Amino acid sequence: MPTTFLDFEKPIADLEGAIMELRHRGDGEGVDIAEEVSRLQAKVERQIKTTYAKLTPWQRVQVARHPERPHALKYVDSLIETFTPLAGDRAFAEDAAIVGGLGRFRGRPCLVIGQEKGDDTESRIKHNFGMVKPEGYRKAQRLMKLADRFGLPVITFVDTAGAYPGVDAEARGQAEAIARSIEVCLELGVPLVSLVIGEGGSGGAVALAAANRVLMMEHAVYSVITPEGCASILWRSAENAKDAAEALRLTSDDLKKLGVCDTVVGEPLGGAHRDPDAAVKAAGDAIETELAALDGMDAVALRQHRRDKFLAMGSKGL
């Protein structure tokens, strides 16, 4: 059971609170509460199913940002065996917003890169809330080139509201670093599979997602700008974020129809934050399927596959 509930989850929170109170009272008085708990639990599941069947785009954004949603390190720890982290861009500094290294994905040697947001105050500050600086993107470039040199497939986990917008990042060439990362992705001679696990924000996400196959978790979002940023530009107020989320077509369902996303990975009932292990396993199965589909393609074919994929974007409508 999550400890944080979103605004639209209040009926669910009330029911689960009643279950906890009932269990607490039952434990203290020796009363058999199993039947009542079972009834309330069934009611909770129906309420979750009803609520999540009709989520608005803005509510999807809230779920994608849920603080208990599994982040990149959870996916790496669960899916990548013998993970060996690699640090630094060999030019300026180490950026903890990008985690990357070598390991084995279900027996297959690979290189993995992820944007890590952190799970508590200390780790969020350490990882800069997943907002990557130029040195982070240059580290990603270095690691992808390393994978290319040794013929290792690359798996990336995308989860960022956007690249870090600070003055110091701009001074060190943020735009150039993002553009170079996209270029390196497109030039790789090895399979590249990207999974948007939470937020896929702007060029900060595309820098790791110019892939052969782009997957999205069911309740993830992927857009050119955050709804708040879009609303601030169009309506001069972040209060119109709900309208912006609707207009941006940022949900996995819309992006699958538009051809931006190739595969939508189903999440457990109520979102990945309710059962992180099940969500991660489903993601692993989807990645394994996509990598298998790319087996046997040589470097030329893989590059052409990416070129054709991205040139075709925009040709499909809703």
Side-chain angles (χ1 to χ4, degrees):
M1 183 187 302
T3 57
T4 302
F5 290 91
L6 303 171
D7 292 342
F8 63 87
E9 292 182 312
K10 189 178 185 306
I12 301 169
D14 291 342
L15 285 170
E16 293 196 329
I19 291 173
M20 288 183 65
E21 185 177 349
L22 196 59
R23 283 176 173 159
H24 179 70
R25 269 199 270 168
D27 290 342
E29 300 171 9
V31 180
D32 185 7
I33 58 167
E35 186 176 340
E36 181 64 12
V37 168
S38 179
R39 186 186 68 81
L40 285 174
Q41 192 62 53
K43 196 171 180 180
V44 167
E45 290 181 9
R46 288 196 299 271
Q47 184 65 52
I48 293 173
K49 190 175 293 185
T50 301
T51 301
Y52 274 77
K54 55 182 181 181
L55 291 182
T56 66
W58 176 242
Q59 288 170 339
R60 289 279 190 99
V61 172
Q62 291 178 280
V63 176
R65 293 172 175 172
H66 197 287
E68 294 171 46
R69 191 174 177 85
H71 295 139
L73 281 174
K74 168 66 175 176
Y75 286 83
V76 172
D77 290 344
S78 300
L79 297 176
I80 308 300
E81 302 165 5
T82 64
F83 178 66
T84 303
L86 300 173
D89 67 343
R90 300 295 188 270
F92 182 76
E94 159 68 353
D95 184 358
I98 287 277
V99 295
L102 300 167
R104 288 181 176 274
F105 170 69
R106 297 187 175 178
R108 180 196 295 253
C110 69
L111 185 134
V112 60
I113 302 171
Q115 292 161 324
E116 173 61 30
K117 285 184 171 181
D119 297 314
D120 53 30
T121 302
E122 184 179 353
S123 63
R124 285 169 190 151
I125 292 172
K126 174 185 174 182
H127 296 289
N128 200 32
F129 299 86
M131 295 185 295
V132 185
K133 298 178 181 178
E135 50 270 26
Y137 289 116
R138 291 179 180 129
K139 174 170 77 171
Q141 294 167 40
R142 180 176 74 84
L143 297 185
M144 286 189 284
K145 290 176 181 177
L146 181 69
D148 200 22
R149 188 177 308 138
F150 290 100
L152 300 175
V154 179
I155 301 168
T156 64
F157 297 108
V158 176
D159 191 14
T160 182
Y164 180 63
V167 174
D168 56 333
E170 296 297 334
R172 294 198 297 276
Q174 183 69 289
E176 184 270 348
I178 291 172
R180 290 288 183 191
S181 286
I182 296 171
E183 181 183 34
V184 171
C185 285
L186 294 173
E187 290 183 348
L188 286 177
V190 294
L192 172 56
V193 174
S194 296
L195 173 64
V196 183
I197 58 176
E199 286 186 278
S202 190
V206 181
L208 296 184
N212 293 102
R213 301 292 290 176
V214 177
L215 292 68
M216 287 182 69
M217 298 302 291
E218 181 182 358
H219 298 304
V221 294
Y222 192 18
S223 64
V224 70
I225 191 172
T226 62
E228 294 90 341
C230 178
S232 296
I233 293 171
L234 296 182
W235 288 279
R236 299 289 190 269
S237 171
E239 293 179 2
N240 291 89
K242 292 181 182 179
D243 300 318
E246 185 75 38
L248 283 167
R249 303 293 186 183
L250 43 62
T251 68
S252 58
D253 296 332
D254 282 343
L255 293 171
K256 180 74 165 61
K257 293 175 184 175
L258 288 167
V260 174
C261 159
D262 298 300
T263 301
V264 176
V265 182
E267 296 187 21
L269 183 64
H273 57 279
R274 282 191 165 267
D275 192 345
D277 291 335
V280 171
K281 183 183 183 304
D285 293 341
I287 292 170
E288 185 175 27
T289 298
E290 299 297 351
L291 284 175
L294 297 171
D295 281 344
M297 296 178 68
D298 62 19
V300 173
L302 287 166
R303 293 188 192 104
Q304 188 63 43
H305 181 272
R306 284 185 219 108
R307 176 182 172 82
D308 293 342
K309 172 185 173 61
F310 283 89
L311 286 177
M313 286 185 184
S315 62
K316 292 183 180 180
L318 293 172

